[in-house]
Amino acid sequence: EAGVAQSPRYKIIEKRQSVAFWCNPISGHATLYWYQQILGQGPKLLIQFQNNGVVDDSQLPKDRFSAERLKGVDSTLKIQPAKLEDSAVYLCASSPGTGIAGDRGYTFGSGTRLTVV
Amino acid sequence: AQSVTQLGSHVSVSEGALVLLRCNYSSSVPPYLFWYVQYPNQGLQLLLKYTSAATLVKGINGFEAEFKKSETSFHLTKPSAHMSDAAEYFCAVSVRGSQGNLIFGKGTKLSVKP
């Protein structure tokens, strides 16, 4: 079974520029999550989709971050404009449903490492 | 609100020694608890989880953890460390009915000396 695919693996941009990350979840997984992992901290949930609808985006900085999940499959996360403090690893995860976290195949991708200079 | 505290950002052990990584949680309702491992430049891999069944949970790679409600702890142990265990370990909590969202601790980096 293919895992959660993310691209690019690395991205370096200047502050105030825009950037987009892409995530392809495991086939058939209805739920998709974006986490932000700042160096020295644990991952923090940014947004959760159930199919193509948003379940929770309470921690998404909506003035600069946006995310969409077209047709309930792939997802993109965008930052515009980027700030220095956005430097982090952005992790995508998917699961078959909205059951217990970590259960039923809750799987993380390898992440995109963003550096804002 | 739920939270997780991992004591010690860096733990170093000798190969063959006991591994003990500490995790305390805060939750007003019975939680689900998890340990994840992250190798450099990789995503998170589930080691084990507690979901209200047995309080002693066995996971992959010889790791286990014990849920102690009275101490609000979920410490991770392994009797004998191997060089390949060197990685960062994250404890996480999820609340029942929370749609599967995970709240992570800050992580503990485990080093294994030969």
Side-chain angles (χ1 to χ4, degrees):
Chain A
E1 179 182 69
V4 175
Q6 291 189 247
S7 67
R9 288 299 310 275
Y10 306 93
K11 189 73 176 180
I12 300 175
I13 63 171
E14 295 182 349
K15 59 183 179 183
R16 292 188 289 273
Q17 286 187 324
S18 63
V19 64
F21 314 126
W22 173 82
C23 173
N24 179 234
I26 291 175
S27 178
H29 278 196
T31 308
L32 186 147
Y33 310 81
W34 283 102
Y35 285 85
Q36 179 192 56
Q37 184 177 13
I38 294 173
L39 185 65
Q41 299 182 22
K44 181 186 78 172
L45 180 73
L46 290 175
I47 189 168
Q48 177 187 353
F49 292 94
Q50 173 74 8
N51 296 312
N52 61 351
V54 175
V55 173
D56 183 354
D57 63 356
S58 58
Q59 298 192 84
L60 187 73
K62 299 180 185 63
D63 58 333
R64 298 183 301 104
F65 285 66
S66 64
E68 60 180 5
R69 189 181 185 196
L70 299 176
K71 300 182 181 179
V73 183
D74 293 2
S75 177
T76 56
L77 177 69
K78 296 179 181 178
I79 308 175
Q80 181 179 12
K83 293 184 176 182
L84 296 177
E85 59 261 37
D86 298 331
S87 294
V89 175
Y90 291 85
L91 294 165
C92 180
S94 71
S95 69
T98 56
I100 302 168
D103 202 357
R104 299 179 62 214
Y106 196 116
T107 305
F108 283 86
S110 297
T112 294
R113 182 178 298 276
L114 173 67
T115 302
V116 183
V117 297
Chain B
Q2 295 73 42
S3 65
V4 171
T5 301
Q6 291 185 240
L7 298 176
S9 59
H10 192 186
V11 170
S12 182
V13 300
S14 297
E15 191 172 20
L18 171 72
V19 175
L20 171 61
L21 304 182
R22 300 178 186 273
C23 172
N24 288 88
Y25 70 90
S26 173
S27 177
S28 57
V29 296
Y32 296 138
L33 294 160
F34 310 84
W35 276 99
Y36 280 85
V37 61
Q38 186 176 37
Y39 298 100
N41 299 316
Q42 295 188 26
L44 295 158
Q45 180 184 7
L46 180 67
L47 277 178
L48 49 81
K49 62 182 184 282
Y50 166 76
T51 55
S52 79
T55 56
L56 182 61
V57 181
K58 294 186 183 299
I60 62 172
N61 301 339
F63 285 93
E64 63 181 37
E66 186 172 8
F67 172 69
K68 293 187 176 180
K69 184 178 179 180
S70 61
E71 299 177 7
T72 61
S73 68
F74 190 58
H75 301 332
L76 181 70
T77 61
K78 182 174 181 178
S80 177
H82 190 273
M83 296 296 290
S84 61
D85 295 327
E88 189 148 24
Y89 292 79
F90 292 92
C91 183
V93 64
S94 176
V95 175
R96 303 173 193 208
S98 69
Q99 306 288 353
N101 299 345
L102 291 168
I103 298 169
F104 288 88
K106 292 187 175 183
T108 297
K109 186 174 183 179
L110 175 66
S111 299
V112 182
K113 299 175 291 186

